[in-house]
Amino acid sequence: MNKSGPPPSAPPSYAESVGGVPPSSPFVQPGQTIIVTTLVPPGPGPTHMVCPHCHAEIDTSIRSEPSLLAWISGGILALMGCWFGCCLIPCCIPSCMNIVHSCPNCKAHLGTFNSL
């Protein structure tokens, strides 16, 4: 029989196993509220998350803007002779647009979704 001692009561926490900051860290003051946020990758639609700037639970506000690919495609079309607005067609195609996410509360930039 191998008597190495009783098994541990619980597995180590993630912070203990990876070497995170323990709860008795000098960076945490007594009575200080700790807010832990998870970074959510922005998608093509509004994302439900906690804003890392104002710590409010929000659905991101989105706006679309032409991507670099749209501007390059428009430039190539202009060089090929499409002058009368046809060179702006790539700026209207949804798959050539970047989606910019921001906080509706504090207006902070939260991320950009590149469609291509």
Side-chain angles (χ1 to χ4, degrees):
M1 285 196 192
N2 186 358
K3 292 188 177 186
S4 60
S9 60
S13 69
Y14 179 77
E16 292 173 345
S17 62
V18 211
V21 180
S24 62
S25 169
F27 301 112
V28 178
Q29 302 297 325
Q32 182 181 12
T33 303
I34 300 173
I35 299 174
V36 179
T37 61
T38 304
L39 295 177
V40 179
T47 304
H48 185 78
M49 63 185 297
V50 173
C51 177
H53 301 281
C54 66
H55 306 294
E57 186 174 346
I58 58 161
D59 286 328
T60 59
S61 60
I62 59 172
R63 65 179 169 84
S64 59
E65 61 183 28
S67 66
L68 181 62
L69 178 65
W71 291 111
I72 290 172
S73 301
I76 291 171
L77 286 172
L79 290 174
M80 292 175 54
C82 297
W83 292 102
F84 299 109
C86 295
C87 61
L88 298 176
I89 290 175
C91 294
C92 300
I93 299 173
S95 63
C96 292
M97 303 295 267
N98 289 338
I99 309 297
V100 179
H101 292 260
S102 60
C103 176
N105 192 25
C106 67
K107 309 295 187 235
H109 179 264
L110 299 175
T112 302
F113 176 74
N114 299 320
S115 56
L116 294 179

